[in-house]
């Protein structure tokens, strides 16, 4: 990767037209405007903002988010957390269940490591077994610290994940969640920090009213659980969750204290299909795949950005601003190729050698396909390359 970064660094100061294709490009001006809008929203609504770093997998961008006002970052993998901490990001929440003893030992070691920087590691749980395994790993780490150079007794923040409609991880809201919180309190190395209540399915409901209804049901589950916890003297210090599709609803609930929205920084084609809720800020597309036409025929053209350059789980990419009118559609051309055809009502095809911009369908897995992102300033038409952004946690799956 170092050779690639060195090669790409030669682009700094050059025109966007000098970028070889296919390449993953960030419009830094648009991204910073998105950051500013989210930071202002969080301040205005008196909620914390902890974006998901699994989106960009970049220490540099995580630090930019923290500088803009984020309290830290979320990740989904232990390896992602390790890379963030190694890069100097010391407030990391693993918003996922970790069960394997070897991984839990790594989580405990991270907790020890960030303590020296007044940082913290947090993690989600949804089972008694998960709590007990985590407690054992933390106890083992404490014992190791006492036998070594350090004797710091660290504590890890633990969130009980409740299933508010995702149908994935999470204990059932209500009594089951309260019992799990009580189990956490039995272990000195664990600190009950609150509830993880993320509704992933709600993020991609296209209709505003449908999203509002889904989030309203989720909030009922959260409120019920909070009431039970309060009755047992354990009102959660924090309810964390929310995503780019719904965060304004969680912020207005009076229940959520922390927003995990992350995709807004790039805004992929899938999120752009959502009917915009007027209570949320407007976010611009900031992540693009730069591609070039390598073949041209009577009814179609072919570009050099196939599925190895962008994820397709949320649909194919959208061609950005061709002819200023969106006159091209992208079709499946396989691993290395994209098929371009005129949109309905259009006839013109791009010229051989013409460079185009694609908006990926899903930004997170698209970023994970690349070792680096090329950051440009001054726009996509006349901009220059300002920096190279390493995808530090690419492939960090464990």
């Amino acid at each position: 990767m170092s050779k690639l970064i060195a090669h790409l660094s030669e682009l700094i100061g050059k025109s966007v037209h000098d970028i070889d294709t296919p390449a993953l490009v960030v419009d830094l001006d648009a991204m910073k405007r998105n950051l500013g809008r989210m930071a202002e929203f969080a301040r205005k609504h008196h909620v914390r903002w902890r974006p998901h770093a699994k989106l960009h997998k970049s220490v540099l961008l995580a630090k930019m988010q923290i500088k803009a006002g984020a309290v830290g970052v979320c990740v989904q993998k232990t390896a992602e957390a390790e890379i963030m901490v190694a890069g100097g990001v010391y407030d990391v929440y693993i918003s996922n269940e970790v069960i394997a003893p070897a991984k839990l030992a790594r989580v405990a070691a991270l907790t020890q490591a960030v303590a020296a920087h007044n940082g913290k590691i947090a993690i989600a749980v949804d089972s008694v077994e998960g709590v007990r395994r985590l407690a054992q790993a933390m106890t083992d780490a404490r014992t190791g610290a006492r036998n070594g150079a350090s004797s710091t007794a660290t504590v890890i923040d633990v969130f009980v994940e409740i299933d508010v409609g995702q149908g994935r991880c999470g204990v059932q809201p209500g009594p089951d969640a309260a019992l799990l919180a009580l189990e956490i309190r039995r272990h000195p190395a664990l600190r009950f920090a609150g509830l993880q209540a993320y509704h992933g399915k709600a993020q991609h409901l296209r209709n505003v009213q449908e999203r509002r209804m889904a989030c309203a049901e989720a909030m009922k589950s959260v409120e019920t659980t909070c009431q039970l916890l309060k009755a047992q003297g354990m009102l959660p210090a924090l309810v964390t969750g929310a995503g780019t599709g719904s965060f304004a609803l969680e912020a207005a609930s009076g229940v959520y204290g922390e927003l995990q929205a992350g995709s807004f920084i790039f805004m992929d084609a899938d999120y752009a299909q959502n009917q915009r809720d007027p209570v949320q800020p407007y976010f611009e597309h900031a992540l693009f795949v730069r591609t070039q036409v390598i073949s041209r025929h009577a009814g179609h053209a072919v570009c050099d950005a196939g599925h190895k350059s962008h994820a397709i789980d949320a649909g194919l990419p959208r061609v950005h601003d061709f002819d200023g009118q969106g006159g091209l559609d992208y079709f499946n051309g396989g691993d290395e190729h994209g098929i371009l055809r005129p949109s309905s009502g259009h006839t013109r095809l791009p010229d051989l050698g013409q460079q185009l911009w694609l908006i990926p369908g899903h930004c997170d897995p698209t970023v994970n396909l690349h070792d680096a992102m090329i950051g440009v300033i001054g726009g996509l038409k006349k901009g220059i390359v300002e920096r190279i952004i390493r995808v530090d946690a690419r492939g960090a799956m464990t």
Side-chain angles (χ1 to χ4, degrees):
M1 184 194 285
S2 59
K3 287 185 178 180
L4 172 65
I5 299 299
H7 172 69
L8 291 176
S9 295
E10 295 175 2
L11 286 168
I12 293 175
K14 294 184 178 180
S15 166
V16 294
H17 302 291
D18 292 323
I19 298 173
D20 202 359
T21 59
L24 193 61
V25 177
V26 178
D27 181 338
L28 292 173
D29 298 324
M31 186 195 76
K32 289 175 182 177
R33 288 191 291 268
N34 290 343
L35 279 174
R37 289 167 187 148
M38 175 57 83
E40 175 60 26
F41 179 91
R43 285 192 296 269
K44 181 179 177 180
H45 291 82
H46 307 290
V47 290
R48 293 155 52 102
W49 164 44
R50 182 184 293 276
H52 258 293
K54 73 179 180 68
L55 163 77
H56 52 68
K57 290 178 169 277
S58 164
V59 169
L60 173 65
L61 294 188
K63 288 182 174 180
M64 288 180 66
Q65 290 173 316
I66 292 169
K67 185 177 180 179
V71 297
V73 297
C74 297
V75 297
Q76 288 289 84
K77 300 293 186 177
T78 305
E80 290 175 336
E82 290 169 329
I83 290 166
M84 289 294 131
V85 170
V89 178
Y90 299 126
D91 193 330
V92 181
Y93 171 36
I94 304 171
S95 55
N96 198 7
E97 283 63 33
V98 178
I99 290 296
K103 287 191 181 73
L104 288 169
R106 290 158 58 192
V107 171
L110 275 179
T111 308
Q112 297 274 357
V114 300
H117 302 276
N118 296 316
K120 66 177 181 178
I121 299 293
I123 195 168
V125 298
D126 71 353
S127 67
V128 170
E129 180 66 20
V131 171
R132 291 175 180 170
R133 291 188 181 196
L134 175 62
Q136 185 61 56
M138 290 297 297
T139 299
D140 291 346
R142 283 180 165 193
T143 301
R146 284 194 296 269
N147 294 335
S150 170
S151 60
T152 303
T154 55
V155 175
I156 189 169
D157 282 349
V158 184
F159 288 86
V160 172
E161 180 168 9
I162 58 174
D163 183 0
V164 292
Q166 175 79 357
R168 194 169 59 187
C169 295
V171 68
Q172 286 301 301
D176 290 349
L179 287 173
L180 199 52
L182 285 170
E183 177 64 28
I184 292 168
R185 285 186 30 165
R186 294 190 180 100
H187 302 278
L190 312 184
R191 177 169 50 225
F192 174 58
L195 299 177
Q196 160 79 8
Y198 175 74
H199 194 341
K201 289 183 178 179
Q203 308 311 311
H204 304 283
L205 294 172
R206 300 306 181 201
N207 181 271
V208 169
Q209 189 57 32
E210 289 178 346
R211 291 200 300 277
R212 290 179 175 176
M213 290 173 62
C215 288
E217 286 300 312
M219 289 166 197
K220 288 179 184 177
S221 297
V222 174
E223 289 173 341
T224 298
T225 306
C226 288
Q227 289 169 3
L228 284 173
L229 291 168
K230 184 177 181 180
Q232 298 187 45
M234 291 191 304
L235 184 64
L238 187 66
V239 177
T240 181
T244 293
S246 70
F247 67 85
L249 303 175
E250 283 91 350
S253 70
V255 177
Y256 285 74
E258 184 175 87
L259 309 178
Q260 297 175 4
S263 295
F264 75 90
I265 191 176
F266 288 155
M267 279 305 288
D268 53 35
D270 182 70
Y271 266 119
Q273 293 182 61
N274 282 3
Q275 182 184 29
R276 182 170 171 258
D277 192 330
V279 300
Q280 295 204 169
Y282 167 73
F283 297 115
E284 306 169 51
H285 291 299
L287 185 74
F288 302 89
V289 174
R290 179 80 161 164
T291 187
Q292 181 173 197
V293 175
I294 60 173
S295 182
R296 194 176 188 278
H297 304 274
H300 74 278
V302 182
C303 68
D304 62 357
H307 303 332
K308 286 182 180 177
S309 63
H310 54 79
I312 62 171
D313 60 298
L316 296 170
R318 183 161 60 86
V319 182
H320 177 63
D321 198 32
F322 177 67
D323 275 354
Q325 300 175 351
L328 276 181
D329 292 326
Y330 182 101
F331 294 87
N332 186 347
D335 292 350
E336 312 292 352
H337 305 89
I339 308 299
L340 304 170
R341 296 192 178 99
S343 302
S344 176
H346 297 264
T347 58
R348 195 172 87 78
L349 285 167
D351 296 329
L352 192 67
Q354 184 169 347
Q355 294 194 342
L356 302 167
W357 301 95
L358 304 178
I359 302 169
H362 189 181
C363 44
D364 304 44
T366 293
V367 170
N368 195 54
L369 293 170
H370 295 262
D371 289 323
M373 297 174 275
I374 300 171
V376 304
I377 57 173
L380 301 182
K381 292 183 178 179
K382 298 181 180 180
I384 62 170
V385 176
E386 194 265 347
R387 64 176 60 190
I388 304 302
I389 304 167
R390 291 173 61 103
V391 182
D392 303 288
R394 180 187 182 187
M397 301 298 179
T398 63

